[in-house]
Amino acid sequence: MERTQIEAVVARFDTAGRPARIAPVGNGWINDTFRVETEGAATPDYILQRINHRVFRDVERLQNNIERVTSHIRRKLAERGTEELDRRVLRLIPTREGKLFHFDGESYWRMTIFIDRSVTHETITPELAELTGRAFGDFQAMLSDIDEGALGETIPDFHNIEFRLEQFRDALESDAHGRAGEMRALSDELLARAGRMCRVERLHREGKLPKRVTHCDTKVNNLLFDEEGRPLCVIDLDTTMPGYVLSDFGDFIRTGANTGAEDDADLDRVDVNMDIFRSFSKGYIDSAASFLTPCERENLPFGAQLLTYMQAVRFLTDYLDGDTYYKILHPTHNRQRSWAQFRLLQRLEAREREMNDFIAGL
Ligand code: ADP
Ligand code: GN1
Ligand code: MG
């Protein structure tokens, strides 16, 4: 995309200052993110994002959700006397017409204030993991009294494993790109676990597992830290919607406690860093204990398996479908990702007992 086109988009938003430099940031798989630097120190920089409209079909609902979530959190933080609120919770910048997004005829765009002097991590230490656990638990706690009915599902059935398995089975059956054969061994492994993984939806139907407002993408890089290593702000709120707390706990362990990369080509590098698991669990339970039910609490390690399993299923489904959902860096990227997630699942399974005992002892 041409710089002048992006500048034209920037001009539609109600920003202060003159844009001086625009540069891509981050490595998300869904949206495109740019930092818009403004001239001089008196005005903030901004984050401009092109929303992936194939993934988020209802941008109006998406942006309304984010506005509700951020204003609710801002109110909570203000009540606590927190300072520098614009560094602690995202602030959406409206367009000059007062809308929460801009549609340029082709793409949907939104803008937030850039939180400067902040860092994101792709891998973290046990010390940071404990703070991260506390921050995500606190995020859920602050949202525990938001009017849930006011928040829509930005992606229907996003973390519903029964739905994800249905998509997976459809992809296997249509085999649109002739890839099902080479993936047979992995497909069989995943299908063999389907019944066990659907337990979470059964618990919900039986009234044993509640839905709450959860982040649903608690990857390590979705928390901003300050330069001293203190958590500042939970970002990437696209999927904040009603869900299970197991998702947030599980997705952090899936990304933060993996000794390898999410898409590691060398499966031997993939394992669970138990120090990270323990530290994150401790921090999370410290701030979430007030609202967690015993059923939620004892299923947290299962949540780590579930989210890793779900990710293996989603990557593999995308591979079978011909790579239409996730950005890929090479032709077999989704295949590599699904194997790496499966290896992590096996490692989590091997440590299930140890993880359960640790949570029970907290
Ligand atoms: P994606 O959905 O693609 O993961 P994110 O919203 O997580 O997009 O943004 C991608 C990256 O951009 C983040 O990991 C972070 O490094 C940076 N970023 C996003 N929003 C902000 C912000 N408001 N202030 C500072 N950095 C940000
Ligand atoms: C996507 O946007 P990003 O890269 O943080 C995906 C998550 C997956 C993740 C896997 C809306 O998150 O669900 O867990 O990739 N987000 C969406 O890395 O599908
Ligand atoms: Mg992100």
Side-chain angles (χ1 to χ4, degrees):
M1 184 168 214
E2 293 290 315
R3 194 195 140 96
T4 49
Q5 282 174 283
I6 302 188
E7 278 174 353
V9 172
V10 171
R12 303 303 294 257
F13 286 89
D14 195 13
T15 56
R18 271 168 53 91
R21 221 169 70 94
I22 299 172
V25 288
N27 55 355
W29 304 125
I30 306 292
N31 298 315
D32 298 308
T33 307
F34 303 89
R35 173 174 176 176
V36 179
E37 286 179 38
T38 59
E39 278 171 7
T43 49
D45 291 349
Y46 297 93
I47 283 281
L48 177 71
Q49 274 179 325
R50 176 168 30 197
I51 301 166
N52 185 327
H53 183 231
R54 270 192 310 111
V55 171
F56 300 101
R57 314 295 296 200
D58 187 345
V59 176
E60 181 112 30
R61 165 178 292 181
L62 171 73
Q63 291 300 95
N64 279 333
N65 265 14
I66 296 179
E67 179 59 24
R68 276 172 204 262
V69 165
T70 51
S71 47
H72 191 85
I73 292 178
R74 185 168 297 112
R75 206 157 43 239
K76 293 270 153 150
L77 292 173
E79 279 164 21
R80 289 180 189 171
T82 306
E83 287 172 3
E84 293 194 292
L85 286 179
D86 279 349
R87 293 175 66 67
R88 306 304 303 278
V89 56
L90 288 182
R91 181 184 289 281
L92 284 176
I93 302 297
T95 65
R96 299 203 184 269
E97 296 91 58
K99 289 183 61 179
L100 295 174
F101 61 90
H102 169 63
F103 180 58
D104 66 7
E106 199 175 311
S107 306
Y108 291 83
W109 300 86
R110 67 162 165 239
M111 195 175 254
T112 53
I113 291 189
F114 176 84
I115 300 175
D116 68 348
R117 291 169 288 122
S118 65
V119 265
T120 43
H121 300 278
E122 295 297 328
T123 54
I124 61 168
T125 60
E127 291 71 35
L128 288 182
E130 183 168 343
L131 296 171
T132 307
R134 201 163 278 139
F136 281 126
D138 192 34
F139 178 83
Q140 291 177 346
M142 286 191 283
L143 292 175
S144 61
D145 63 346
I146 195 172
D147 173 14
E148 209 187 293
L151 296 185
E153 283 195 331
T154 55
I155 302 177
D157 290 315
F158 184 51
H159 278 181
N160 177 344
I161 189 60
E162 290 174 348
F163 171 72
R164 294 298 179 186
L165 280 163
E166 213 174 287
Q167 291 182 314
F168 177 44
R169 291 193 176 100
D170 287 349
L172 276 173
E173 209 172 289
S174 17
D175 193 17
H177 293 262
R179 293 171 171 179
E182 71 183 276
M183 298 314 292
R184 182 68 192 272
L186 181 54
S187 304
D188 287 350
E189 290 279 3
L190 295 174
L191 290 173
R193 289 163 171 83
R196 178 175 133 77
M197 292 297 165
C198 291
R199 181 171 104 212
V200 61
E201 294 299 331
R202 288 196 297 274
L203 285 171
H204 178 63
R205 279 193 290 272
E206 291 162 9
K208 294 177 186 151
L209 187 70
K211 284 207 178 182
R212 306 180 188 280
V213 176
T214 49
H215 184 279
C216 291
D217 193 9
T218 48
K219 285 161 73 161
V220 188
N221 60 15
N222 284 333
L223 181 66
L224 299 181
F225 291 86
D226 69 12
E227 288 161 324
E228 278 78 50
R230 286 179 301 243
L232 272 177
C233 180
V234 174
I235 61 167
D236 206 344
L237 305 176
D238 292 323
T239 51
T240 302
M241 59 179 154
Y244 307 121
V245 294
L246 308 189
S247 282
D248 285 2
F249 182 89
D251 226 9
F252 178 84
I253 300 301
R254 180 183 78 76
T255 56
N258 186 350
T259 53
E262 181 181 62
D263 60 350
D264 221 307
D266 179 357
L267 296 181
D268 290 339
R269 279 199 293 247
V270 175
D271 205 340
V272 188
N273 179 328
M274 287 301 285
D275 286 333
I276 301 275
F277 167 80
R278 281 186 287 264
S279 307
F280 180 81
S281 303
K282 202 168 161 303
Y284 175 73
I285 288 189
D286 270 353
S287 57
S290 61
F291 63 85
L292 288 181
T293 65
C295 176
E296 287 177 309
R297 204 180 153 120
E298 72 203 25
N299 275 293
L300 291 173
F302 174 71
Q305 289 185 31
L306 175 65
L307 268 286
T308 306
Y309 175 79
M310 194 177 324
Q311 201 58 63
V313 167
R314 291 176 64 195
F315 283 146
L316 182 50
T317 303
D318 199 32
Y319 184 62
L320 296 170
D321 285 343
D323 311 304
T324 60
Y325 188 89
Y326 294 105
K327 290 180 202 164
I328 51 168
L329 303 180
H330 55 85
T332 53
H333 201 175
N334 273 318
R335 179 174 82 190
Q336 182 178 319
R337 285 165 168 159
S338 57
W339 275 114
Q341 291 296 295
F342 178 64
R343 172 58 66 91
L344 180 63
L345 174 65
Q346 291 177 305
R347 293 290 180 254
L348 288 162
E349 286 170 347
R351 294 177 190 277
E352 178 171 328
R353 180 74 188 277
E354 192 182 344
M355 292 180 152
N356 283 339
D357 288 350
F358 182 77
I359 296 284
L362 280 176

